[in-house]
Amino acid sequence: MLPCINWLQPLLALISSSLLTRGHNCPFRCLCPDHHTVNCTNRGLTRVPDSIPLNVRRLLLSNNWIPWIPADFLVLYTDLVYLDLRNNSLSQLEPGTLSTSSRLVFLDLGCNNLTEIPSETFEESRSLIKLRLGNNPYLSMVRKNAFVGLTSLRELELQQNGFTVLDVGVLEPLPSLQVLRLEGNPWLCNCQFAKLFMWMKANQHKLPSGIEGLECSLSEDGHRIPLKLLSEDSFKDCTNVLTLTDYLIVIFSGISASVAAIVASFLLASTVHCFQRLRKGTKTDEEDGYN
């Protein structure tokens, strides 16, 4: 038994050495200043590099031409806490891309070509503290529940995007939010913007410069108005504006009322008809009695 063990020891040592060496290999054209950092900044990459060490914690991929991230990209890199994908060519996030990013603390997706943030994109990113989504000129939509799961998020950047309106409801799942950047978006001064304006007024301490420098434009002529010149009275006419939900309620109520009226009319007609028949039968019996 001992000779067998003695023979296996060198083999196991060789395998372990090979695995460790592979674990610390640095991807081609990248720099690895330590065992937990991979720096591939400004390398002209058109895709996420291969052979990234599994124990990587800081991955820098900014200033490249990466158009997409594989949906299972983070499955292998469970220790990753810092991911910088700024200034690439990302146009969308594949479903499930961030589903295993429970340890991620910092994520930079700024300066890309994102168009929307789908629902439940960050559902498992409960450790994320800083999220950069600014400078995506085509980003104009954040879907409902997109930020669900970001219970630790303190800083959210949405500046210099294409937002004309933003549903305040998407901010509700962010109990730890301390800083929100919204400047540089083409906001429209309409009734859809009213709720966001009220939120900004109530949460100016979360905006780096309050509402200073923030503007919205009139849809009629495109004239831009500083938000500091507006007040709640500026949107007072919006209180009587019906939303789609209100219209559905009105329509449903109207249909229900119509159905109720038809049923009531039918029951009343039936009652009257029965009463008339009963009265006619009683009259006939009386006439027979006289005869």
Side-chain angles (χ1 to χ4, degrees), residues 74 94 227 280:
L74 295 177
E94 296 289 337
L227 295 192
K280 183 177 180 180

XYZ file of all heavy atoms in Angstrom, residues 74 94 227 280:
34
model
N -20.705 34.891 -15.483
C -20.355 35.000 -14.069
C -20.516 33.705 -13.286
O -20.241 33.674 -12.088
C -21.202 36.097 -13.416
C -20.941 37.520 -13.929
C -21.883 38.497 -13.266
C -19.499 37.915 -13.657
N -27.941 40.018 -21.698
C -28.620 38.740 -21.891
C -29.330 38.322 -20.597
O -28.807 38.561 -19.507
C -27.615 37.652 -22.290
C -26.931 37.900 -23.631
C -27.885 37.712 -24.793
O -28.894 37.001 -24.637
O -27.621 38.291 -25.857
N -35.533 72.982 -13.781
C -36.484 72.435 -12.809
C -36.639 73.334 -11.593
O -37.678 73.321 -10.924
C -36.045 71.038 -12.364
C -36.036 69.934 -13.418
C -35.873 68.570 -12.763
C -37.304 69.951 -14.265
N -104.700 38.468 -14.376
C -105.648 38.028 -15.389
C -106.320 36.737 -14.970
O -107.531 36.538 -15.157
C -104.915 37.828 -16.717
C -105.824 37.444 -17.867
C -105.029 37.339 -19.163
C -105.959 36.957 -20.314
N -105.200 36.847 -21.590
